[in-house]
Amino acid sequence: MSADAAYDFDLFVIGAGSGGVRAARMAAATGARVAVAEDRYLGGTCVNVGCVPKKLYSYAAHFHDSFDDAAGFGWQLASPATFDWPTLRDNKTSEIKRLNGIYQRMLEGAGVTLFNARARVVDPNTVTLTNADGEVSVSAEKILLATGGWPWVPEFPGSDLTLTSNQVFDLDSFPERFLVLGGGYIAVEFASIFNGLGSETHLIYRGDLLLKGFDQEVREFTCDEMAKKGVNLHFSANIARIERKEGALQVELTTGEAIEVDAVLAATGRKANTSGLGIDVLGIELNSEGKLPVNERYETQAPSILALGDLIAGPELTPVALAEAMNLVDIHFHKKTPRPLDYDTIPTAVFCHPNLGTVGLSEEAAREKFSKIRVYRTDFRAMKHTLSGSQERMLMKLIVDDASDVVVGAHMVGEEAGELIQGIAIAVRAGLTKEDFDRTVGIHPTGAEEFVTMRTPARY
C-alpha cells in the first residue's frame, strides 16, 4: 500500500484529535507509512477540554440532585454534603493524563510516527515541523488537516476577562457566582454543571430561546426544567461590558441589568482552527462559514490536501469526525468507492440537567419535508420522583411520516437521555415504522418503555 518512496510518508496528519488519530491508525493498519504532528495535547479537544472532562463534571454536578432525592427513599446524610472543587479538578486532570498516554500508545502500537511539533503546510506535499529543537521539513503523498475547532469570543469592553471552554475546567478556585454567555451545547451544559455544583448561575443569550436548531418543543421543555433547577435564564440580552471591581466581575447587560459574578464563560461558538496551517499559500479558500470545502473524497481544492471533522461542513461532533476518518481511509487506502455519510440520522446529546437526546428530524423540519406527519409525545414525572419529591419531568417524542409510517425523528429530555436515544437511533437509522415500535414489547417499569407505548397521536 506504500506510495512513491520519494515521499517520506504516504499520509501525514496534522492534529492528534479524535478524527486525526483514527485516520492515522486505520491508514497505518493498511501498511501505509503514516505520521502525526501535534503541538498541544494528544486526544484533541474531546479528550482534553471537551467531551470527556465535561461529562465527568456533569456526573459530579448530578450528585447534588441525588443527595436531595435520597431522603425520600429513607437515606439520611449524617451531615450536609459539601463540594471540594480541587478534588474534582485534580482527579479529572489525572484521568486526562491517563487518556493522553493511551492515545500515545495506540499511535505507537499502530506504527505511526509521532512528532511533537507545530506543523505548517508549505506546498501540496511538504510540511514544516517546528518545536524547541528547531525546524525540519518532511514530505507526504497526502496531507490530512485534522486540527478541529477553537473557541471564539466576540469583542466587547472587557471581553478579555472572560473564560473559554479551554480554561474553565482548571480554575484555581470555585466560582460561587457564575455567568455563561451563549445558548448552544457548551453554554447550557456548563450552566447546568456549575448550577449543580453549587454556583449561583446565570445564562445570558441574545435569542429568545436556547438550543437553536433543535425541536421547538424540546427547547421550551429544556428551558423550563433548567429554570426549575435554579439556573437564572436571561433571554434577548447580551453583554455590553465587563469590569473588574473589588475582586469580582461587574457584568452590564444590553438590557441595562447589572450582575456581579466571580467568573464569566464565553460559550459563543467555535471556529475552524486553520490559523497558521499555511493553506493560503496553496490557494485553498475558506467558505463563508470559515470551513474548508471538500469533495466526497475529503479532498480540498488542492487534491493532495485532505480535511475532516470540525474543519469541514457537518455536525461538530466527535463521533462524526471518527466516522469521517473511517470513510476517508476506506476511500484513499482501501480504494473503495466513496459512500457519503448519512448526516440526517446522526444522534446527539446535550448534557444539560436534565439531559437532552435527539435523532432525526425535528417536528418543524418534518413539517417542511413531508405533506403530513403524526406527532406522538408524552411528558411525565418519572417513577423515581414519586418518592424523591423532585418535580423534574421527562419528555419523549416521536415524529412519523404519515404516508410511509416511518419514524423520522425521536427526541427526549430526561435522565440518561443520551444513553436511551443511542438505541433509538439504530431504529431511526434503519427506517423502522411506527408499527415496528408498537409491536415492540416494552421493559416495565422503565421510562424507556414510553417510546413503544405511545399509541395516540398528540397532533398531525
Side-chain angles (χ1 to χ4, degrees), residues 205-224:
Y205 183 50
R206 63 183 181 180
D208 59 359
L209 195 61
L210 301 173
L211 297 170
K212 183 179 179 181
F214 285 78
D215 181 275
Q216 179 72 11
E217 185 175 22
V218 167
R219 298 170 69 196
E220 294 171 354
F221 193 91
T222 301
C223 283
D224 290 344

Side-chain angles (χ1 to χ4, degrees), residues 163-221:
L163 304 165
T164 70
S165 55
N166 284 0
Q167 305 157 314
V168 72
F169 294 105
D170 296 300
L171 302 178
D172 291 334
S173 59
F174 182 72
E176 299 294 337
R177 300 164 298 175
F178 189 70
L179 186 147
V180 182
L181 175 64
Y185 281 78
I186 296 173
V188 299
E189 289 174 338
F190 278 102
S192 288
I193 286 170
F194 277 88
N195 178 66
L197 295 178
S199 290
E200 174 195 300
T201 304
H202 298 266
L203 188 147
I204 312 299
Y205 183 50
R206 63 183 181 180
D208 59 359
L209 195 61
L210 301 173
L211 297 170
K212 183 179 179 181
F214 285 78
D215 181 275
Q216 179 72 11
E217 185 175 22
V218 167
R219 298 170 69 196
E220 294 171 354
F221 193 91

Side-chain angles (χ1 to χ4, degrees), residues 21 38 48 67 73 137 170 201 215 224 230 232 269 288 368:
V21 168
E38 175 58 58
N48 294 276
F67 294 146
F73 290 89
S137 293
D170 296 300
T201 304
D215 181 275
D224 290 344
N232 298 288
S288 60
E368 290 184 6

